[in-house]
Amino acid sequence: GVGEASVDGVYRVDADVGGKASYLRKQDVDSAALQPRIAWSSAYERWELFSPGVLNSSVLYFNEAVSRTPPTGGWETYSGRLPAPALRYVEAEAEAGGGGATASGKGDFC
């Protein structure tokens, strides 16, 4: 698990940010604006996990690995509670555009 329970869950590719896919937590809520997100920060050259509305939308966890997709390990706490998350890729559900997690970042992870 992760220290900030509100960001635990399965994330899916959502958009392109800074030339890398960003990921939005998959949830049964209409407003994507309120969902936790993992995205590359070009300004800080790191992956960041944050959740709008949690700690003033501050970065909760970060990872400075320069990679095409979010790394599975090595996440550090910024303003989130310990423990920092460990990610794992999971096979995407069989829906439109589905498929397994790949190096291109087109799969899901949790």
Side-chain angles (χ1 to χ4, degrees):
V2 61
E4 292 294 336
S6 65
V7 301
D8 204 9
V10 176
Y11 288 73
R12 173 161 284 165
V13 172
D14 178 60
D16 185 87
V17 176
K20 298 176 190 252
S22 72
Y23 299 80
L24 184 68
R25 187 175 71 186
K26 190 171 112 178
Q27 189 174 12
D28 296 329
V29 174
D30 292 334
S31 179
L34 299 175
Q35 297 305 313
R37 184 176 290 280
I38 298 174
W40 177 255
S41 169
S42 296
Y44 295 103
E45 296 186 346
R46 66 184 185 188
W47 288 98
E48 297 178 337
L49 192 160
F50 59 95
S51 183
V54 175
L55 298 173
N56 296 318
S57 301
S58 176
V59 171
L60 301 171
Y61 305 100
F62 70 96
N63 191 310
E64 294 180 334
V66 178
S67 57
R68 184 169 169 82
T69 58
T72 56
W75 287 84
E76 298 180 51
T77 300
Y78 188 76
S79 62
R81 287 181 274 190
L82 290 171
L87 308 181
R88 67 183 171 89
Y89 285 88
V90 296
E91 187 172 330
E93 294 176 12
E95 31 181 275
T102 66
S104 67
K106 298 296 182 194
D108 295 345
F109 65 89
C110 57

